[in-house]
Amino acid sequence: MSHRFPTWWRALSVVLLSLATVTWPSAAQATPTAPFALVHQDPFAVLSSRGTSHFNFTLHLARTDVSARVQLSLYPRLVTRSQIGPLVSGAGATGRPGAATSNFALKCTTRHSLTFTVALYTKVLGRAKSPCAVRGARLRLPCRGQTCDGVYPLRYTVTNNGVSTSEWSMIAVQASRVATPLNVDWITTLDPTSWQQSGRAIAVMNALAKFDAVPLTLTADYRTLVRALSDTSATATAWRASLNKALASPLHRASDAPPGDIDFGGLVANGLTTQVGTQLSLASQLLRTLNGRYVDNPVVLSATPSVSSLDALAGAGVSEVVLPEADLALAPSSTLNWGAPFHVQGAGPLLALSTDEPLSQLVTDSTIEPGRRAVLTLTTLAFLHFEEPNAPAIRTVVISAPVAQTPATFMVDLFSGLAHNPFFHASNLAPSFNSILVATNGAPSSRSLVTSRPSTWTSRNLATLTSLIGQVNSFGQAVTSNVVESELHVAVARSEIIGGPDARQLAITRATDALNAQLGDFSIDAGPITLAGPGTSLPITIISRANYTVTAVVHLITDRLI
């Protein structure tokens, strides 16, 4: 499908030829030992009425040398989204640059970092200075007025001791009024990795707390939240405090995100319908216990659900879900018909939105340094605006990323761009599910899922799980410890998985073992019981090794009293 553009954009003819360059740094190279790193770059430039603007960038050099030089090259505006992939992968833009700065010296470093100001202009530009007084830091845009709107590839080339190294970035230029900005729904997922990498998670949530005027969504995974509830270490205390800070703003919402391997459809098909509701209520209950917050209606799914699983969720009261784009037979991001909620074929009235898979992969790509990763993300969003700048209805981009894979420095740059830019607005999930947006801007009203493998349950699975549910519910009513009760309910919930019967049975066995470990803390004194006489109390001694109290009902079963 060809991309649609206004007449002035379609008139642009860009012939792209091959240009050799080095690739992006690998995961091992994305360290201070790389020749240089793009620490920060302004992603947007707004042209004045005189056709001028500027942007700043900061480089970090592994080593400085008096002969070191840098040059910026500006390439023709991007026309299709497929041109962004090579910039991210490191292959870069093809063809000749439309403009380039002179090679200017890398002087006045501060701890190997240098900040420069680059002037953009369409006409004659007067003398401009950067913080390092570099005269050559200027780029001439090969356009006039509104024809300058768009996203342009940038190549940074650093030459040191005769060796040149390049990195690619982009910059979005605004020359005319933005009629319909995009909605960007950002989802930070608190999956179990946020606990395993608690230091990064704490830093990220503290960073998000500072952007209290920028809407976002945090997902609540019950596996993570039960750890946060039960752990008493200093790290856990800091983790809980950072979560509270991140959710302090009313614009920062929470959504339920059950584990991706839960078989909702299988639960209903095998007579365990109430467990679907339990799966959905666990995270919200734990979150309320931790900080008093409630979850919003949209449920964020992280794996490939079957149509029967979506039906099961709908039967439990779910009306809105976020799906990974990979779950859909046709990826919306590969077309122009994205950005609107849709129905899933065969799943009734339930509404869905899908994540943008290329952007979700980009924001978690650890081979790209955080500063450049943020620029590439923000300018890709700007390009998505320019795909249909005069769209009659709002289009929504959904990006989901685990907190452990998005460094705090990346999040600061990203949310600074979300807060201040002309091309898109940050939004919560709920408004994006407005039913009036279905089938707008040419998007289909329904989409189909990829085929998923059906799950198999054995009679043993059902018998042992049903028994376990009854035992845990009974024990949960007796204990006074919210932590113990929650841990047991989570253990049961984790056993309701997709896949083979053996894997499910193993999970049920583990949950049973967890219950038995708790029950093993209680015993009855095996000594004889002596009654003093009719109507007296029964002197039964119950021994507890638990650090909580229980309410017990004792049944005496005997054919005679001795």
Side-chain angles (χ1 to χ4, degrees), residues 441-456:
N441 300 316
S445 61
S446 66
R447 298 181 185 273
S448 59
L449 295 177
V450 296
T451 302
S452 59
R453 180 177 297 180
S455 188
T456 303

Side-chain angles (χ1 to χ4, degrees), residues 375-391:
V375 175
L376 291 170
T377 301
L378 291 167
T379 49
T380 297
L381 287 169
F383 176 81
L384 294 180
H385 158 74
F386 283 120
E387 275 193 324
E388 194 171 1
N390 300 309

Side-chain angles (χ1 to χ4, degrees), residues 43-44 378 412-421 424:
F44 314 114
L378 291 167
V412 169
D413 274 5
L414 178 75
F415 272 77
S416 296
L418 290 176
H420 306 289
N421 76 89
F424 42 84

Side-chain angles (χ1 to χ4, degrees), residues 231-271:
D231 198 315
T232 58
S233 66
T235 299
T237 300
W239 195 98
R240 290 190 294 268
S242 66
L243 175 63
N244 291 341
K245 291 178 185 177
L247 286 174
S249 168
L251 295 179
H252 293 183
R253 312 298 298 174
S255 281
D256 189 18
D261 60 353
I262 300 304
D263 188 10
F264 298 106
L267 290 171
V268 172
N270 290 284

Side-chain angles (χ1 to χ4, degrees), residues 55-96:
F55 66 93
N56 298 318
F57 70 91
T58 301
L59 298 180
H60 178 84
L61 306 178
R63 293 177 296 275
T64 57
D65 186 270
V66 293
S67 65
R69 298 287 188 274
V70 65
Q71 182 183 46
L72 270 68
S73 302
L74 184 77
Y75 283 75
R77 175 179 42 211
L78 299 176
V79 178
T80 64
R81 187 171 186 177
S82 62
Q83 293 175 278
I84 296 177
L87 301 176
V88 173
S89 69
T94 55
R96 297 175 60 84

Side-chain angles (χ1 to χ4, degrees), residues 282-353:
L282 266 176
S284 60
Q285 291 172 358
L286 288 165
L287 190 63
R288 286 200 301 274
T289 301
L290 283 167
N291 63 11
R293 289 295 297 268
Y294 288 81
V295 297
D296 286 346
N297 186 43
V299 173
V300 180
L301 303 177
S302 58
T304 304
S306 62
V307 172
S308 63
S309 282
L310 293 182
D311 276 336
L313 291 172
V318 175
S319 59
E320 301 163 354
V321 295
V322 176
L323 303 171
E325 186 178 70
D327 293 355
L328 300 175
L330 176 63
S333 67
S334 65
T335 74
L336 285 175
N337 300 323
W338 54 266
F342 54 89
H343 298 285
V344 177
Q345 292 179 8
L350 182 143
L351 277 181
L353 280 170

